Amino acid sequence: MTKPNSAVSHVSWKSSKKRVVSVNSKGVLSPKKTGKAIVTGRAAGGKKAKCTVTVKYANVKSISISPVSAYLDVGDNCKLKIELKPFGANPKVKYYSDNESVAIVNSKGNVTAIAPGTAVITAEAHNGKKARCEIIVDGAGEEEVPTSVPTPAEATPVPTPDSMP
């Protein structure tokens, strides 16, 4: 079987922004990061065609967080890890605490225990999908302060050289 005279035997491909999308010798596109690029196909005879390609993140279908709960002492820290599905989902996640007097969280998921109690840390994807971690803070890391000071009568006598036999 032979190709018709009008069939193109060779096409070269090029992307205007290889960081956004690359194209192989067969014209197969591979997304690299979000953005726009122009993909051009050029036939051996000099004719060419262009196509604008827009690469977007996939919508988050699910978000999970690890750990789902943590016990911390006042002043302790822990790092929350998230997993987004599907692969290639938008990685932008916001973190917040429902009780910042007990535990705070920064934009990278690092939690700091502030005071005894319970707080729920939420990780929220750009499309509203959420995962939660319960933080229970114990006061064990706090320095204990005595509630009463013994009076001289209650104090244990310290032996002196004169009182020793």
Side-chain angles (χ1 to χ4, degrees):
M1 186 167 173
T2 60
K3 294 181 184 178
N5 290 341
S6 63
V8 176
S9 61
H10 178 72
V11 176
S12 62
W13 298 95
K14 181 179 176 185
S15 171
S16 65
K17 294 182 183 172
K18 293 177 184 171
R19 288 177 162 174
V20 173
V21 65
S22 65
V23 59
N24 72 13
S25 62
K26 294 181 180 182
V28 177
L29 304 177
S30 298
K32 303 295 182 186
K33 71 174 206 167
T34 59
K36 288 186 178 187
I38 297 171
V39 173
T40 305
R42 185 179 304 268
K47 293 197 179 211
K48 65 181 178 178
K50 294 181 179 187
C51 178
T52 300
V53 176
T54 303
V55 177
K56 297 179 180 179
Y57 286 119
N59 273 328
V60 174
K61 301 284 185 203
S62 69
I63 180 172
S64 58
I65 197 166
S66 177
V68 293
S69 65
Y71 293 88
L72 303 174
D73 288 332
V74 171
D76 284 353
N77 298 294
C78 78
K79 168 77 171 138
L80 300 177
K81 295 178 185 173
I82 58 162
E83 182 180 349
L84 303 171
K85 289 187 180 175
F87 178 79
N90 190 331
K92 293 182 183 176
V93 175
K94 293 180 187 175
Y95 294 92
Y96 54 91
S97 171
D98 75 339
N99 191 348
E100 291 188 341
S101 64
V102 171
I104 57 174
V105 61
N106 70 13
S107 63
K108 296 181 188 225
N110 296 313
V111 177
T112 301
I114 302 298
T118 301
V120 175
I121 305 298
T122 302
E124 183 175 358
H126 72 99
N127 63 347
K129 300 283 184 185
K130 297 176 184 175
R132 292 176 177 83
C133 172
E134 182 180 41
I135 303 293
I136 300 161
V137 180
D138 183 22
E142 296 178 329
E143 194 173 308
E144 291 190 29
V145 178
T147 54
S148 65
V149 177
T151 62
E154 297 171 324
T156 305
V158 177
T160 62
D162 295 337
S163 64
M164 295 179 78

